[in-house]
């Protein structure tokens, strides 16, 4: 079993920044990578970024250059630094442990409660 707790969301103006955190516990060692997803109202959940245990990263095109994923393996915590936020970034953000092979992400069935990010003036 894996437990995930996301935090750090909130209301921010366009152009602002937020830093999300995901604290993982349980059998997290069986997964070699972590990802962030988001789900906007009325839309499907979409992959945002992932990071391997060694620190390699990959991003969706619509966040590349604005978002940075990082991890602290000692704390089993993954972060998502979000800069230059846009209204279309408004969503509930989730972390997800999984496996990353080549350019493909394979999610697990473990999800936290998510953290709400609202970008609005």
């Amino acid at each position: 079993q894996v437990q995930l707790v996301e935090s750090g969301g909130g209301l921010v103006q366009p152009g602002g920044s937020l830093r999300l955190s995901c604290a993982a516990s349980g059998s997290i060692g069986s997964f070699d990578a972590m990802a962030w997803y988001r789900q906007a109202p009325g839309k499907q959940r979409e992959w945002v970024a992932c990071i391997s245990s060694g620190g390699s990263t990959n991003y969706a095109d619509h966040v590349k250059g604005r978002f940075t994923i990082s991890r602290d393996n000692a704390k089993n915590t993954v972060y998502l630094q979000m800069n230059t936020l846009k209204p279309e970034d408004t969503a509930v953000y989730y972390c997800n442990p999984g496996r990353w092979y080549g350019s493909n992400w394979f999610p697990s069935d473990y999800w936290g409660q998510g953290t709400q990010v609202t970008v609005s003036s």
Side-chain angles (χ1 to χ4, degrees):
Q1 289 291 324
V2 173
Q3 294 78 42
L4 303 162
V5 179
E6 300 96 339
S7 62
L11 173 63
V12 63
Q13 292 186 341
S17 298
L18 281 174
R19 188 194 194 206
L20 307 183
S21 299
C22 168
S25 60
S27 304
I28 195 65
S30 60
F31 300 99
D32 57 7
M34 293 286 288
W36 283 97
Y37 280 74
R38 68 186 185 186
Q39 187 167 19
K43 295 188 177 181
Q44 288 190 332
R45 192 170 297 185
E46 64 174 4
W47 174 86
V48 173
C50 65
I51 185 167
S52 70
S53 57
S56 297
T57 59
N58 196 19
Y59 299 91
D61 287 343
H62 51 275
V63 305
K64 200 171 293 184
R66 299 189 298 123
F67 290 10
T68 302
I69 188 172
S70 61
R71 66 189 295 166
D72 184 332
N73 290 332
K75 296 181 178 180
N76 282 339
T77 300
V78 179
Y79 305 97
L80 186 67
Q81 177 67 44
M82 306 186 296
N83 298 328
T84 319
L85 283 162
K86 305 175 181 179
E88 50 264 43
D89 294 318
T90 296
V92 179
Y93 284 71
Y94 302 87
C95 61
N96 173 254
R99 292 178 173 82
W100 177 16
Y101 297 121
S103 60
N104 298 309
W105 174 259
F106 297 90
S108 68
D109 293 331
Y110 296 106
W111 302 92
Q113 82 290 348
T115 185
Q116 175 72 48
V117 172
T118 302
V119 185
S120 175
S121 55

